Amino acid sequence: MTIRSVIAGVGAYLPANAVSNADLAKRVDTSDEWITERTGIKKRHIVADGEKTSDLAIAAARAALGSAGLSGDKIDLIVVATTTPDETFPATAARVQAALARPGIPSFDVQAVCSGFVYGLAVVDNFIKAGQAKSAIVIGAEAFTRLLDWSDRNTCVLFGDGAGAVVLTAGEGRGDSADRGILSTHLHSDGRQHDMLYVDGGPGSTQTTGHVRMKGKEVFRHAVTNLTEAVHEALAANSVQASAIDWIVPHQANKRILDTTAEKLGIDPSKVIVTVDQHANTSAASIPLALNQGVADGRIRPGQLVLMEAMGGGFTWGSALVRM
Ligand code: UT7
């Protein structure tokens, strides 16, 4: 018997304020044509004044609990993947815990930028497999636009805000790829690539929040290479062929990255869940937002094989292969 972390519910939340490329072009030297052609992005949601990452996280977690048919008092672990915590400390997860779950359960944040949700899944999967949690929530939540330099058109048009969450519950399997639940996670990082994608501030350096800085072309190249390798690694570890994957739910940074990676893998682009057009890059929130979209519109169904993959600042990257 193998313990598996089964996705029992999925939920998401987007701030009400939707901003189109045309809206952005009124305040930034850009155009709908450039953004659409280079990225596939058509709009993004942006937090309102006073709206915080924890607000988004709590709303997404409530939706995931509702979809799982569970109440918060059944949860024994909360992990929030975020780059934009409400405060430097305490963790945003503690806010979620206070709002949703019984006092005393562990809660903490994971910081792996755009790979954060995959990192969070891996951490919680290991807690569940070790018998230290039976029901957990993993949330990817970002008020990422708070990190943008609105005078830098190379970055400010690319990102948005939002949150997505899954409820994971301990289940039993036979130990093969027919099991329901998380079949594998693989995580990587390469800190030598810091200067490719980073925020130029922080409590320990400038005592300011800082802004996102990115060498877009180089990040693009690394993303395609690392994500392709991550997918091969997940398939090999599970003795699964690419053709067995029902859905790829990738981190949503750029439609061209999604298309190029699918092409390199020989995977039909129609099997890739795409939300970057609607949400832009929401960092740690992008995978659970896309997963929620695929489940909500009926494309992703119980029993199907879903491969999540992400790459972000650090660099960090990784994958999670899950049977729904
Ligand atoms: O989530 C973490 C991972 N992040 C990523 O994966 C992002 C990866 N990188 C990318 O998605 C792409 O590299 C970008 C979308 C960031 C940029 O696309 P690109 O095709 O690599 O464009 P570029 O950087 O080569 O810029 C081309 C031109 C430049 O003008 P010149 O120098 O050729 O005259 C830029 O100044 O486009 C210009 N440009 C813009 N023009 C209008 C850059 N940003 C804009 C803009 N609007 N917003």
Side-chain angles (χ1 to χ4, degrees):
M1 195 270 286
T2 302
I3 299 176
R4 295 291 193 190
S5 311
V6 177
I7 295 186
V10 187
Y13 180 79
L14 289 162
N17 181 26
V19 176
S20 70
N21 293 343
D23 294 334
L24 261 195
K26 289 178 194 149
R27 58 189 284 202
V28 178
D29 179 19
T30 189
S31 64
D32 175 41
E33 193 189 8
W34 189 95
I35 300 171
T36 304
E37 192 183 299
R38 300 295 180 116
T39 71
I41 296 165
K42 297 301 287 182
K43 69 177 170 80
R44 73 285 294 138
H45 291 252
I46 295 185
V47 281
D49 286 348
E51 194 171 28
K52 299 187 294 298
T53 296
S54 62
D55 298 322
L56 313 183
I58 289 164
R62 283 208 168 103
L65 283 167
S67 131
L70 278 184
S71 60
D73 61 0
K74 295 286 183 293
I75 296 297
D76 46 26
L77 172 64
I78 296 174
V79 172
V80 175
T82 188
T83 314
T84 48
D86 294 3
E87 296 157 327
T88 303
F89 80 83
T92 301
R95 293 258 185 208
V96 179
Q97 188 273 328
L100 293 186
R102 64 180 192 279
I105 66 156
S107 63
F108 57 90
D109 289 358
V110 165
Q111 161 57 300
V113 206
C114 299
S115 312
F117 185 73
V118 170
Y119 268 67
L121 281 183
V123 169
V124 169
D125 183 38
N126 283 316
F127 265 86
I128 289 177
K129 285 200 268 200
Q132 287 191 294
K134 292 232 173 312
S135 304
I137 306 182
V138 184
I139 307 163
E142 301 278 17
F144 205 84
T145 58
R146 302 258 196 253
L147 294 176
L148 298 178
D149 172 356
W150 290 101
S151 69
D152 176 15
R153 69 177 184 171
N154 290 294
T155 52
C156 73
V157 304
L158 304 175
F159 295 93
D161 304 325
V166 295
V167 172
L168 294 171
T169 55
E172 289 179 7
R174 292 183 316 193
D176 60 28
S177 64
D179 290 349
R180 280 194 73 204
I182 297 178
L183 303 177
S184 69
T185 57
H186 290 91
L187 306 180
H188 298 281
S189 69
D190 183 354
R192 294 172 304 174
Q193 308 294 346
H194 169 276
D195 293 357
M196 296 281 175
L197 178 53
Y198 66 102
V199 164
D200 61 2
S205 53
T206 58
Q207 294 84 58
T208 62
T209 305
H211 294 116
V212 174
R213 305 296 173 205
M214 178 167 73
K215 295 181 181 165
K217 265 199 195 319
E218 286 90 335
V219 175
F220 189 109
R221 205 164 33 79
H222 281 276
V224 172
T225 305
N226 291 344
L227 292 173
T228 305
E229 281 175 21
V231 173
H232 282 310
E233 183 181 37
L235 295 174
N238 292 279
S239 304
V240 164
Q241 301 293 317
S243 56
I245 302 289
D246 293 298
W247 298 105
I248 301 238
V249 182
H251 169 52
Q252 312 275 326
N254 184 324
K255 177 73 164 53
R256 284 160 51 221
I257 295 179
L258 306 189
D259 291 343
T260 311
T261 308
E263 192 186 324
K264 280 188 84 161
L265 291 163
I267 288 176
D268 187 339
S270 67
K271 288 183 165 186
V272 181
I273 304 281
V274 178
T275 50
V276 66
D277 55 333
Q278 298 301 306
H279 305 157
N281 181 346
T282 57
S283 184
S286 87
I287 288 181
L289 274 165
L291 183 70
N292 182 70
Q293 181 63 48
V295 169
D297 66 24
R299 278 178 293 172
I300 300 178
R301 297 189 304 276
Q304 289 188 327
L305 200 54
V306 171
L307 183 59
M308 306 176 205
E309 36 93 334
M311 142 103 187
F315 286 148
T316 56
W317 66 101
S319 72
L321 186 66
V322 182
R323 191 170 294 284
M324 298 296 290

